[in-house]
Amino acid sequence: MDKIDIAELKSIQLDILDDVVAFCKRNNLRYFLAYGTLLGAVRHGGYIPWDDDVDIHMPRTDYDRFLATYNNAAGMNVAVSRELDAKYRVAFAKVYRKGTIVKEEHFKPDVFGVYIDIFPLDGFVNKKQAHACGQLRRYMHVKNSLFLKQMSFSRKLRLAITKLILLPFSLGSLIARLKRVATEHSFDDSKMVFSSHSRLAGREVFPRAIFDGCKMVSFEGREYCAPLDCDLYLRTLYGNYMALPPEEKRVSTHNSQAWRV
């Protein structure tokens, strides 16, 4: 296998993003740059220099339509989600490049290559709903986590205890429960919406109005859709988002390697 360096990784991710965006335009589907990708666009004009992934949001109805139809195009990229592949261990969707593979140090092996993440946006009912979604997402994170040599004994012990507590619950049942709770109220009928598949779902609540249209932003010299009020979105997530973190924290958190196969 040939290892993929960071420059090629980002090039593949951008190609995937462009393909997804073109598909969304052809099929009248809504999407928005999200998380660190939007932060990078606003603060850096592209990738955060120490980051190495791409995230987008889709309202739930668009997300479902996308997953039901994208793979029919039979291109170089594949959409994968729990609904499409029972082996898939993540609560949200990815689109990955055929002929590549990604191995992530902290988590059990999955079925995708170099990818971008797609997170659904759902109607917000109340804080109890958001808290439940965040807790279920944390449980899934524990189910997928591996014991690593560099972990402290106390961290390994906490992980082992939590895994033991979660033994009666399959990963599939947790994912199904999350979807039921997340979709209690529709995106388009809600004044507030939230990123239901985040471990911080209770914090990631936004006025739906900021997704009622599209503001174009530049990312790596290309134009993509963003929420109408990027400032509100980013302040909700990151506070003073224009301030750079301390130098020692300017590192990727993904701990992954990619190869061509």
Side-chain angles (χ1 to χ4, degrees):
M1 295 191 297
D2 296 324
K3 190 173 180 179
I4 296 172
D5 64 22
I6 188 65
E8 185 181 5
L9 177 81
K10 291 180 177 180
S11 177
I12 294 171
Q13 289 174 344
L14 288 171
D15 284 347
I16 297 171
L17 177 61
D18 284 342
D19 188 61
V20 168
V21 167
F23 183 88
C24 288
K25 288 179 179 178
R26 290 195 304 270
N27 293 278
N28 197 29
L29 298 175
R30 295 167 291 181
Y31 80 91
F32 306 90
L33 296 190
Y35 297 120
T37 307
L38 182 57
L39 175 58
V42 171
R43 195 171 68 192
H44 303 278
Y47 282 93
I48 296 172
W50 52 92
D51 201 8
D52 55 5
D53 73 341
V54 170
D55 301 319
I56 63 175
H57 284 309
M58 287 186 186
R60 175 68 69 170
T61 52
D62 303 86
Y63 177 87
D64 288 343
R65 284 176 55 206
F66 177 84
L67 292 179
T69 57
Y70 179 77
N71 289 341
N72 295 341
M76 287 295 296
N77 307 315
V78 180
V80 63
S81 69
R82 185 71 180 194
E83 294 88 348
L84 298 173
D85 190 334
K87 297 178 182 178
Y88 188 68
R89 304 183 62 85
V90 185
F92 50 88
K94 297 179 185 287
V95 177
Y96 71 87
R97 175 60 53 87
K98 295 178 182 177
T100 66
I101 188 169
V102 169
K103 295 182 180 179
E104 298 184 314
E105 179 183 0
H106 292 97
F107 303 109
K108 294 179 181 179
D110 221 310
V111 289
F112 48 80
V114 176
Y115 62 85
I116 69 170
D117 288 323
I118 305 178
F119 296 89
L121 289 168
D122 288 299
F124 177 76
V125 177
N126 52 41
K127 290 184 179 180
K128 182 179 178 181
Q129 174 207 26
H131 175 76
C133 288
Q135 192 63 54
L136 286 163
R137 204 37 196 94
R138 285 188 285 273
Y139 292 160
M140 293 172 212
H141 183 81
V142 169
K143 296 284 278 189
N144 283 326
S145 293
L146 299 174
F147 293 96
L148 302 176
K149 290 182 179 179
Q150 61 266 38
M151 282 183 179
S152 66
F153 174 77
S154 60
R155 187 177 175 189
K156 287 180 180 177
L157 182 60
R158 289 195 301 271
L159 181 58
I161 291 170
T162 311
K163 280 181 174 290
L164 185 62
I165 293 170
L166 292 174
L167 273 179
F169 305 97
S170 70
L171 184 64
S173 70
L174 294 174
I175 292 174
R177 173 63 178 164
L178 172 58
K179 186 172 183 179
R180 287 196 299 272
V181 175
T183 56
E184 289 178 3
H185 201 58
S186 75
F187 174 93
D188 290 299
D189 292 333
S190 302
K191 290 184 178 180
M192 304 295 290
V193 297
F194 76 126
S195 184
S196 56
H197 285 42
S198 167
R199 284 181 285 162
L200 301 174
R203 189 175 79 183
E204 298 181 12
V205 180
F206 315 98
R208 195 210 65 231
I210 71 171
F211 301 104
D212 281 349
C214 174
K215 175 182 179 179
M216 302 305 292
V217 296
S218 179
F219 185 83
E220 297 296 329
R222 314 175 194 201
E223 297 291 311
Y224 300 106
C225 284
L228 293 173
D229 193 337
C230 293
D231 177 66
L232 174 59
Y233 177 93
L234 292 170
R235 279 191 289 107
T236 299
L237 292 178
Y238 305 116
N240 182 15
Y241 60 88
M242 293 302 289
L244 294 175
E247 193 164 344
E248 66 272 13
K249 292 187 177 181
R250 299 176 196 176
V251 294
S252 172
T253 60
H254 295 99
N255 297 303
S256 61
Q257 297 289 337
W259 291 267
R260 292 191 178 276
V261 294

